[in-house]
Amino acid sequence: MPVVDPEKLISLQRNAEEVRNICILAHVDHGKTSLTDALIATNGIISPKLAGKIRYLDSRPDEQLRGITMESSAISLYFSMLRRSLAEAAPVQKEYLINLIDSPGHIDFSSEVSTASRLCDGALVLVDAVEGVCSQTVTVLRQTWTEHLKPLLVINKVDRLITELRMSPGEAYTHLSKLLEQVNAVIGSFYQGERMEEDLQWRERVEQRVAAAAVKEQEKAERKVSKALTGILDDDESVVTTSAAGEFEEKDDEDLYFSPEKNNVIFSSAVDGWAFTVRQFASIYEKKLGMKRSVLEKVLWGDFYLEPKTRRVLGSKHLKGRALKPMFVQLVLENIWAVYEATTGGTNGRGDPALLEKITKSLSLTIPPHVLRSKDPRAILTTVLAAWLPLSTAVLVSVTEYLPAPPASQASRLLRLIEASPGAKNVDSAIQEAMVHLKASKNDPVVAYVSKMVAIPSSELPENKRRAGISMSGEEARDLARRKRAEIARAAKDAVSDVVGDLSTKLDNAQIDDTNDNTNDTEAENIEDPENLIGFARLYSGTLSVGDSVYVLSPRFSPANPHKAPEPQKVTVTGLYLMMGRSLEKLTSVPAGVVFGIAGLEGHILKSGTLCSQLEGAVNLAGANMGSQPIVRVALEPVNPGDIGKMIHGMKLLEQSDPCAQYEVLESGEHVISTAGELHLERCLKDLRERFARCEIQAGEPIVPYRETIVNAAEMAPPKDKTLPRGTVIGVTASKQIIIRLRVRPLPLAVTEFLEKNVGAVQRLYSERRAEEESNREGLDDPASLSRDDADHAPTADRSLFSLLEFRENLQAVFAHEKGQPEIWADVVEKIAAFGPRRTGPNLLIDVTEHGTCQRFLQEGRSTTHETPRTSKADGLTARDFSDKISYGFQLATIQGPLCHEPVQGIAVFLEEVTVAAPGEDESSARETHGRLTSEVIKIVRDSIRQGFLDWSPRLCLAMYSCEIQASADVLGRVYGVITRRRGRIVSESLHEGTPFFSILALLPVAESFGFSEEMLTRTSGGASPQLVFHGFSSTILDEDPFWVPHTEDELEDLGALADRENVAKRYMDAVRARKGLVVKGKLVDAEKQKTLKR
């Protein structure tokens, strides 16, 4: 097909009904990029022979080298076909614009999937016919569910069932049926979860209405006694209230599932270039069988059989013992199997020429003679199948017929996105209506969502590239020749001159070049191709043109308070681009409903944001859920200290252009980058060195996060103070004026897990409390270390988060199920004063003092309980005056634990007593005393919590990866060996039915994961490739006290006084302490003895 003119694509943007915005989602190596290549070949951009080999959208060299996609890329494609409005009408050509986004499948780049899905209306979900549903398949299906995208299932690599597994058509049909059931089971789990949540919400609404009706009935009865004349009105109100409850409406989930007869399943082989749907074969057999196409579409898949004599369709109940094959096997799969047998089958793998000739004649296919003479049987195979069942036709026809256009998509999904946005009640109705109804006129409000920033070299921008077919002018040619001659002469002169002469020549050249604006420095700057950040965006309403001014809304923006600092800035659009994979095409304006690139946002958007033409009543759409969180941190420094400025600038550019990478400067001055995994880290370092910083950068050892906790072990050292219960500490300030008694206890494991899962709910409750009391808040401000976390978690209107009442009830239920010492946890929920660290962590500060020193976090109207009467000026200070200082000390103690200054989890701090001594006669005023005691209280609370922590048996919680591996039986032992050597634990092992592949699920410490994938590939010769997903922090993998020493007779006899067994927990702790510059207690080896250590 000839190359499509970009002007043709630009003109199609104006007709929103003929536009399709789709993304391709799948597990790694399931064929996304190969499928994309086949679709790109239809527009003449690449040769059809190179489809699946050139990997056109993998524009990065490391993507081509590794064979995986690392960045989501977009391209616009043209597609036309003949359509009939009626069966008797003449076909009319219809033209479509397909905005296609290819996304990565590796778990390290899940954030790229999130950014791609928010911009689209539909998704092609690919599943490998052999490997089936994998971990990332479930992730991308969940992404389509949460983003309300309409999915189209593509079962790819069907050829592997023929060539690798050697299945018969009947076996393949059974295998495909089970695979389809697995995918539908995943969709069904999402539906059931949402339905149960809606059912719970409906029951709560009914209970509230019943309670309100009961209150009204009571009020009505009271009013009847006093005023009998109001009875009729009360009866009417009662009827209205009762009828308002209604009944729960069951939703029909039939349209959610994949089924070939619904035209939402495609069977394909991207590497061989063929694909088909049931509808295609229904049109082929329509005339041969004398059946209507609509009937054939319903019976070609499923337990339907064709009676050979009468050509009637029979169900499974009417077989009467006859051994008939399902119609899908008989009419579809057997024909495809026959093509493979005729081209690549046989004993020598050269096929059967006679059978091939028979097939081509029956299908009315013409194969070029040079292909038939080819010695490569795969060339014949791909030619026959591409002519009979072209992949692009099956996919693009299904996309245009099944997936929605922007008007239909926005009408169905945008209302829910707007309702879930921050401050949804304050969104302007005009903006909401324009977005839902896709109003694209110049006068309508402009709303666009920027999902990520893409770094593009300046040389790749359309305005800096010479268009093909345009020759240089004479002056340009002469200037180019002059510069080339100067470069050649300078290189020759440098080669023959000595050091001194070379220096003087360069100085002379520098003086001459300065006059001509061609200095070496300037030349070096010209050689360096600076990066430009282009926004990857989708326009939801209005028309955006170059030169327009729009407001940039950050993820923290809320229309309820649009002018709150930092106030959104207005920027001018400097460029608009049509995304064409490896290149860009310049645009002057963009209508609503399309995906495009936008320039002019550099420095205004960090990762994602919303563009709006008005500030009052604007909507904030920036809230895409990132699939992976940055867990691997590495400290960087330039090889040349003079390049520190370049490195910092490059890291800031990297943070903006990568949706998942984060840059921060630690208190020690280290410049740290956080990434999602080892492969993601490798890509970020490569980008820093070659694109953003353009200098040599060396990376330190990966900084692995840990958590510190305590357990009630069977064998523990006796308490530090034997007169007090374990974990109890009495702290006295340096001035002896304040005495604080507190007790540290380990939280039940179920409570810790509940708090970890509901961090968002705690954050929202804290944000609401802080907003209510912002004007009345006094005392110490939030520490700087906490402000970054508050900025990273903007309050949202997510319906899945608990309200205050729901959170309190659920937390009480979790405490009630605790079997050990239930009297301790009986009423602690009402006494919770704070969560920590960062106000949201899985640690509790519980106020059990007699008069309630601290504010109660989970009590409604708690601000009224904080007031304390003061008796006199001399006795002005009370325990409650230090409540915020106690809370701040708790935050400091939990953000840096006593083991190695890592965050703490799973502890409860009971504040038992706070005593404030009356000041002496020579003491200063209460205000001055309060200021002096502030630091003392914070320090004594922090140190007391750490002391109480060490009174128990401490543990290091390791960051864990959930590792999924698919491997064949012959390499299973090697897989287990690699996992065991790295202190991993096998969770489950299952055999994929009908295949020789095992699916292994294991837990692996992040600290032991570096180099794991490479070692796994090496040991298994490429037979097993792991997928690592962050699982959380676990103390059960390493159940060892870092301070353990042998003290019983048996331990001393077995291990000796020096404990010959390595304490792995202590090794991890000492490594973190050494990195942070803390004191490490170790054995010093004399320098003279180091030479003889090996003897």
Side-chain angles (χ1 to χ4, degrees):
M1 183 177 178
V3 179
V4 179
D5 187 6
E7 297 297 330
K8 181 70 174 177
L9 300 175
I10 295 172
S11 64
L12 289 175
Q13 290 182 341
R14 302 294 169 186
N15 188 0
E17 290 291 343
E18 315 303 335
V19 175
R20 299 293 185 273
N21 299 313
I22 63 172
C23 55
I24 300 183
L25 311 175
H27 188 76
V28 65
D29 289 335
H30 278 201
K32 299 179 298 299
T33 307
S34 299
L35 177 69
T36 306
D37 273 1
L39 302 182
I40 294 174
T42 62
N43 279 225
I45 299 175
I46 62 174
S47 169
K49 295 180 180 179
L50 297 177
K53 302 174 183 177
I54 195 172
R55 303 177 64 88
Y56 181 77
L57 290 186
D58 287 352
S59 55
R60 297 171 54 96
D62 47 355
E63 288 180 323
Q64 294 285 344
L65 182 64
R66 289 182 174 272
I68 63 172
T69 304
M70 298 184 183
E71 290 182 349
S72 54
S73 304
I75 191 169
S76 297
L77 302 176
Y78 169 80
F79 178 65
S80 65
M81 66 176 180
L82 297 176
R83 298 287 299 270
R84 297 176 186 268
S85 57
L86 298 173
E88 299 81 10
V92 179
Q93 185 179 16
K94 299 206 69 174
E95 298 176 323
Y96 295 92
L97 173 66
I98 311 293
N99 293 319
L100 177 68
I101 303 177
D102 182 26
S103 62
H106 197 280
I107 187 64
D108 281 9
F109 310 108
S110 297
S111 56
E112 296 282 348
V113 178
S114 304
T115 58
S117 59
R118 175 58 67 94
L119 303 179
C120 298
D121 303 313
L124 292 177
V125 180
L126 270 69
V127 179
D128 192 316
V130 175
E131 295 184 4
V133 176
C134 300
S135 60
Q136 198 65 2
T137 309
V138 179
T139 302
V140 298
L141 284 172
R142 183 181 292 109
Q143 192 72 35
T144 62
W145 181 269
T146 56
E147 293 291 343
H148 308 292
L149 302 181
K150 196 168 187 179
L152 186 63
L153 180 64
V154 180
I155 300 179
N156 194 27
K157 300 188 180 183
V158 179
D159 60 291
R160 294 184 64 187
L161 303 180
I162 309 172
T163 58
E164 291 184 22
L165 302 185
R166 303 292 181 180
M167 288 185 175
S168 65
E171 294 171 340
Y173 170 70
T174 304
H175 180 81
L176 293 174
S177 300
K178 293 180 179 178
L179 175 59
L180 199 59
E181 291 174 1
Q182 292 176 7
V183 179
N184 285 332
V186 175
I187 297 293
S189 66
F190 300 153
Y191 170 76
Q192 289 297 329
E194 188 176 277
R195 191 237 176 263
M196 291 174 64
E197 182 180 347
E198 291 176 351
D199 185 29
L200 179 62
Q201 293 175 354
W202 174 80
R203 292 180 184 277
E204 291 176 352
R205 289 196 299 268
V206 170
E207 291 175 359
Q208 291 174 0
R209 288 170 180 169
V210 170
V215 171
K216 286 188 176 182
E217 287 290 338
Q218 185 177 0
E219 293 177 352
K220 182 183 69 174
E222 293 175 355
R223 286 197 298 268
K224 277 185 178 180
V225 175
S226 58
K227 295 181 181 180
L229 297 177
T230 59
I232 299 175
L233 181 60
D234 291 338
D235 289 340
D236 293 341
E237 289 178 354
S238 176
V239 172
V240 174
T241 303
T242 306
S243 62
E247 295 182 358
F248 182 73
E249 296 182 2
E250 291 283 354
K251 289 185 178 179
D252 185 12
D253 61 340
E254 184 179 355
D255 294 334
L256 300 177
Y257 301 113
F258 297 108
S259 183
E261 61 265 22
K262 296 178 183 177
N263 198 35
N264 60 2
V265 179
I266 301 173
F267 303 90
S268 74
S269 171
V271 70
D272 290 340
W274 60 267
F276 67 89
T277 62
V278 166
R279 179 171 294 183
Q280 278 182 270
F281 275 92
S283 61
I284 293 174
Y285 289 107
E286 181 181 7
K287 295 181 180 178
K288 292 183 179 180
L289 298 179
M291 298 182 187
K292 292 183 178 180
R293 183 189 301 182
S294 58
V295 176
L296 272 176
E297 289 177 7
K298 295 179 181 179
V299 298
L300 267 181
W301 177 267
D303 294 332
F304 297 99
Y305 305 86
L306 183 65
E307 212 283 326
K309 295 182 179 179
T310 61
R311 292 190 175 184
R312 292 176 55 219
V313 177
L314 304 177
S316 55
K317 297 179 180 179
H318 302 87
L319 286 179
K320 298 179 180 179
R322 287 178 290 182
L324 298 180
K325 300 176 182 178
M327 293 181 65
F328 190 78
V329 175
Q330 183 180 358
L331 302 180
V332 179
L333 294 184
E334 286 187 349
N335 292 321
I336 296 176
W337 260 244
V339 174
Y340 274 86
E341 179 66 25
T343 53
T344 60
T347 56
N348 57 359
R350 311 291 293 180
D352 186 350
L355 179 60
L356 176 63
E357 183 179 1
K358 180 180 179 182
I359 290 174
T360 53
K361 285 184 178 180
S362 62
L363 297 176
S364 302
L365 301 178
T366 303
I367 308 300
H370 72 276
V371 175
L372 293 174
R373 292 194 299 268
S374 175
K375 296 181 179 181
D376 183 12
R378 288 194 55 81
I380 305 175
L381 170 70
T382 55
T383 303
V384 172
L385 288 173
W388 178 35
L389 302 171
L391 183 144
S392 58
T393 301
V395 173
L396 294 180
V397 168
S398 298
V399 164
T400 56
E401 291 183 348
Y402 183 75
L403 298 184
S409 173
Q410 292 189 194
S412 62
R413 66 188 283 254
L414 269 195
L415 196 58
R416 285 176 283 191
L417 290 179
I418 294 173
E419 291 176 352
S421 64
K425 296 180 180 179
N426 302 97
V427 176
D428 191 352
S429 59
I431 291 180
Q432 181 171 322
E433 184 180 356
M435 294 175 64
V436 173
H437 296 96
L438 194 73
K439 295 185 177 180
S441 69
K442 193 68 178 177
N443 299 325
D444 291 316
V446 173
V447 178
Y449 173 66
V450 181
S451 67
K452 70 171 184 173
M453 302 296 289
V454 184
I456 304 291
S458 293
S459 59
E460 297 296 328
L461 296 178
E463 52 264 31
N464 299 331
K465 293 178 66 175
R466 184 178 301 278
R467 295 186 66 86
I470 301 179
S471 60
M472 289 188 293
S473 64
E475 184 63 31
E476 290 175 337
R478 284 191 293 273
D479 181 64
L480 179 62
R482 185 165 51 248
R483 282 190 279 112
K484 285 188 176 181
R485 285 196 299 271
E487 291 175 5
I488 294 172
R490 188 179 296 110
K493 191 178 296 183
D494 291 343
V496 298
S497 62
D498 57 356
V499 177
V500 178
D502 183 69
L503 179 59
S504 61
T505 302
K506 288 187 175 181
L507 290 173
D508 294 337
N509 288 341
Q511 293 176 355
I512 296 172
D513 292 342
D514 283 341
T515 60
N516 296 314
D517 295 326
N518 284 325
T519 63
N520 289 337
D521 293 336
T522 308
E523 193 173 29
E525 290 178 4
N526 290 336
I527 293 174
E528 290 186 0
D529 195 4
E531 300 285 340
N532 293 268
L533 293 178
I534 305 297
F536 194 23
R538 160 78 181 267
L539 189 62
Y540 287 104
S541 67
T543 298
L544 189 63
S545 303
V546 176
D548 288 352
S549 294
V550 291
Y551 287 98
V552 179
L553 312 180
S554 68
R556 286 185 59 84
F557 173 83
S558 174
N561 192 0
H563 298 284
K564 183 179 179 181
E567 187 170 351
Q569 298 179 349
K570 206 168 190 179
V571 300
T572 302
V573 179
T574 59
L576 296 171
Y577 304 101
L578 179 69
M579 312 292 280
M580 291 298 293
R582 300 184 180 185
S583 61
L584 302 173
E585 293 293 336
K586 203 168 184 179
L587 301 174
T588 56
S589 65
V590 173
V594 298
V595 178
F596 64 99
I598 179 171
L601 305 179
E602 187 171 352
H604 299 280
I605 289 183
L606 179 60
K607 293 184 180 295
S608 64
T610 308
L611 306 180
C612 195
S613 56
Q614 68 184 58
L615 189 58
E616 302 292 339
V619 62
N620 181 10
L621 298 174
N625 180 29
M626 296 300 162
S628 59
Q629 297 299 324
I631 187 66
V632 178
R633 301 193 302 165
V634 171
L636 306 179
E637 63 178 4
V639 175
N640 181 8
D643 292 333
I644 185 66
K646 287 184 178 180
M647 189 192 75
I648 294 175
H649 176 69
M651 293 179 78
K652 290 180 179 178
L653 280 177
L654 175 66
E655 185 181 24
Q656 293 182 67
S657 62
D658 193 304
C660 192
Q662 291 182 1
Y663 163 59
E664 60 180 325
V665 181
L666 301 183
E667 295 178 357
S668 60
E670 292 178 295
H671 298 273
V672 172
I673 183 172
S674 303
T675 60
E678 191 176 3
L679 182 59
H680 187 210
L681 172 63
E682 184 180 335
R683 191 197 77 176
C684 290
L685 292 177
K686 181 180 178 64
D687 284 347
L688 269 178
R689 295 184 178 117
E690 298 179 1
R691 298 177 58 189
F692 300 127
R694 298 180 188 273
C695 65
E696 286 299 319
I697 296 175
Q698 58 186 10
E701 290 295 324
I703 303 173
V704 179
Y706 294 90
R707 294 291 184 266
E708 301 179 18
T709 190
I710 54 177
V711 296
N712 188 4
E715 297 180 359
M716 289 188 293
K720 302 293 188 298
D721 190 343
K722 297 182 179 180
T723 62
L724 297 174
R726 184 181 294 275
T728 302
V729 180
I730 299 177
V732 183
T733 60
S735 62
K736 312 295 184 182
Q737 194 168 341
I738 298 180
I739 302 174
I740 298 177
R741 177 187 172 116
L742 54 83
R743 186 177 185 184
V744 179
R745 287 180 178 273
L747 265 181
L749 182 60
V751 177
T752 305
E753 293 175 351
F754 175 82
L755 295 177
E756 287 178 339
K757 292 178 182 178
N758 294 278
V759 170
V762 178
Q763 171 65 27
R764 191 183 71 173
L765 295 176
Y766 173 71
S767 300
E768 292 174 354
R769 292 290 193 187
R770 187 176 55 179
E772 293 174 1
E773 301 176 359
E774 191 171 11
S775 59
N776 300 325
R777 189 175 60 181
E778 296 178 355
L780 191 66
D781 293 334
D782 286 343
S785 62
L786 304 184
S787 60
R788 179 177 179 88
D789 184 75
D790 292 340
D792 292 342
H793 297 85
T796 60
D798 192 351
R799 294 181 177 180
S800 62
L801 300 181
F802 291 129
S803 64
L804 175 61
L805 181 61
E806 293 170 342
F807 180 81
R808 188 168 58 193
E809 291 176 351
N810 282 274
L811 186 56
Q812 284 176 340
V814 177
F815 273 116
H817 285 86
E818 177 57 29
K819 297 180 180 179
Q821 297 179 321
E823 68 281 354
I824 298 176
W825 314 104
D827 55 349
V828 297
V829 175
E830 298 294 332
K831 299 176 182 178
I832 293 176
F835 297 84
R838 302 186 187 275
R839 316 284 185 187
T840 59
N843 303 288
L844 299 179
L845 175 62
I846 301 169
D847 182 10
V848 294
T849 55
E850 184 177 356
H851 300 292
T853 301
C854 299
Q855 299 177 356
R856 304 299 171 87
F857 187 83
L858 296 180
Q859 280 188 357
E860 296 182 351
R862 64 180 183 144
S863 57
T864 59
T865 65
H866 188 59
E867 299 297 330
T868 304
R870 294 182 175 175
T871 57
S872 65
K873 294 183 179 178
D875 195 19
L877 291 179
T878 64
R880 290 187 179 177
D881 291 321
F882 299 97
S883 63
D884 53 344
K885 285 72 178 175
I886 295 173
S887 176
Y888 183 60
F890 168 73
Q891 300 295 334
L892 291 180
T894 53
I895 194 64
Q896 290 185 339
L899 298 183
C900 50
H901 283 195
E902 289 291 307
V904 176
Q905 74 173 27
I907 70 169
V909 179
F910 289 83
L911 184 64
E912 296 182 347
E913 186 179 358
V914 180
T915 304
V916 180
E921 295 180 358
D922 57 342
E923 292 289 339
S924 56
S925 65
R927 180 175 299 178
E928 295 177 357
T929 304
H930 182 272
R932 177 173 53 82
L933 291 175
T934 293
S935 61
E936 295 183 8
V937 172
I938 292 174
K939 183 177 183 300
I940 198 63
V941 170
R942 182 196 64 186
D943 294 345
S944 298
I945 293 175
R946 290 179 176 177
Q947 185 179 343
F949 182 98
L950 294 176
D951 217 9
W952 298 86
S953 182
R955 293 289 187 272
L956 268 183
C957 298
L958 304 183
M960 302 299 295
Y961 276 136
S962 174
C963 175
E964 182 181 353
I965 304 173
Q966 290 201 352
S968 56
D970 53 346
V971 298
L972 210 57
R974 301 175 195 172
V975 170
Y976 283 179
V978 175
I979 294 174
T980 305
R981 276 195 299 274
R982 291 179 176 265
R983 301 186 183 277
R985 186 181 71 186
I986 305 296
V987 177
S988 66
E989 173 195 313
S990 59
L991 175 66
H992 285 283
E993 189 174 351
T995 70
F997 295 102
F998 286 84
S999 180
I1000 304 157
L1001 187 64
L1003 290 178
L1004 184 74
V1006 174
E1008 304 287 346
S1009 68
F1010 301 101
F1012 173 72
S1013 299
E1014 185 177 353
E1015 182 183 0
M1016 182 67 72
L1017 290 171
T1018 304
R1019 295 281 183 179
T1020 61
S1021 301
S1025 179
Q1027 283 275 299
L1028 302 176
V1029 185
F1030 182 62
H1031 182 71
F1033 293 90
S1034 173
S1035 61
T1036 58
I1037 298 295
L1038 187 62
D1039 190 12
E1040 192 172 9
D1041 189 339
F1043 299 116
W1044 178 86
V1045 291
H1047 59 276
T1048 64
E1049 292 184 3
D1050 293 339
E1051 291 172 347
L1052 289 171
E1053 182 179 352
D1054 294 340
L1055 303 174
L1058 299 178
D1060 296 336
R1061 186 184 67 185
E1062 182 191 18
N1063 191 328
V1064 180
K1066 186 176 187 303
R1067 174 163 61 86
Y1068 287 150
M1069 182 186 72
D1070 288 346
V1072 177
R1073 292 184 68 90
R1075 176 176 58 80
K1076 294 185 176 182
L1078 304 175
V1079 176
V1080 178
K1081 295 181 180 179
K1083 183 173 65 174
L1084 295 178
V1085 181
D1086 186 70
E1088 294 297 329
K1089 295 182 179 179
Q1090 288 182 0
K1091 299 178 182 179
T1092 60
L1093 283 178
K1094 292 184 179 179
R1095 294 183 181 179

